[in-house]
Amino acid sequence: LGLFPPVLGVGGAAAAEAAPPGAAGVAMMQAVLHNDVKMWPVSMADAARARWDYCLRSVRHALGNSQDDDDIDIVKDKISMCIEALSKVPNDDTGSSGGACKGFGDRLKRMEFSVLTRYPTRGGAALRAALEELAGQWPRFAEDTGVES
């Protein structure tokens, strides 16, 4: 589209399979809020990075041409934070220039942070068991307290 090359370039198909589509947005939020990205994998191709940069700068410029307002200044400051954080979003695509990835050690550290220490299925099973127990005790509780079910 326009000046920018297509997002899926060299290694793009492999990156699309490896990283969920919204991972770049979540990584961007981590970079803005925590000044670092702790998740893996993140696929932010150079063409996509250029599009994000262009869009953020365009919005900031458009807001700069509007009337002076404190709320607009706050939004412009947040957009500037996003532009600065964009350089911290890595690119784990196999055919990439690396983005902000500091090397293999950085990638391994982000892999370690991304591992689930407790599986959600265990929590789901515990919740189901608690609900069954509650459902079994509810009639007696309703009878003792006079609550209608």
Side-chain angles (χ1 to χ4, degrees):
L1 297 172
L3 301 170
F4 302 112
V7 174
L8 292 177
V10 178
E17 292 173 6
V26 174
M28 177 74 161
M29 288 181 61
Q30 278 188 350
V32 170
L33 296 173
H34 305 292
N35 205 26
D36 194 17
V37 176
K38 303 269 190 239
M39 61 181 287
W40 175 88
V42 178
S43 181
M44 174 77 84
D46 295 337
R49 189 180 304 276
R51 283 188 172 99
W52 279 61
D53 187 61
Y54 176 78
C55 290
L56 289 169
R57 290 177 189 277
S58 295
V59 170
R60 185 178 65 180
H61 179 73
L63 289 173
N65 292 335
S66 62
Q67 298 176 359
D68 290 333
D69 187 7
D70 291 338
D71 293 335
I72 291 175
D73 291 338
I74 291 170
V75 172
K76 286 188 332 189
D77 289 342
K78 299 305 177 191
I79 290 175
S80 295
M81 289 174 61
C82 289
I83 292 170
E84 290 174 22
L86 188 59
S87 64
K88 297 175 181 143
V89 176
N91 186 9
D92 295 325
D93 186 359
T94 54
S96 73
S97 60
C101 191
K102 298 172 186 95
F104 190 67
D106 176 59
R107 192 171 289 181
L108 285 177
K109 193 65 170 170
R110 288 187 294 110
M111 283 179 191
E112 180 183 345
F113 284 133
S114 296
V115 171
L116 291 175
T117 56
R118 301 185 83 195
Y119 295 103
T121 54
R122 253 190 242 162
L127 178 62
R128 278 191 300 277
L131 288 174
E132 288 174 8
E133 181 182 346
L134 180 62
Q137 293 179 3
W138 181 256
R140 193 178 78 204
F141 173 79
E143 183 182 316
D144 291 347
T145 59
V147 175
E148 294 181 25
S149 36

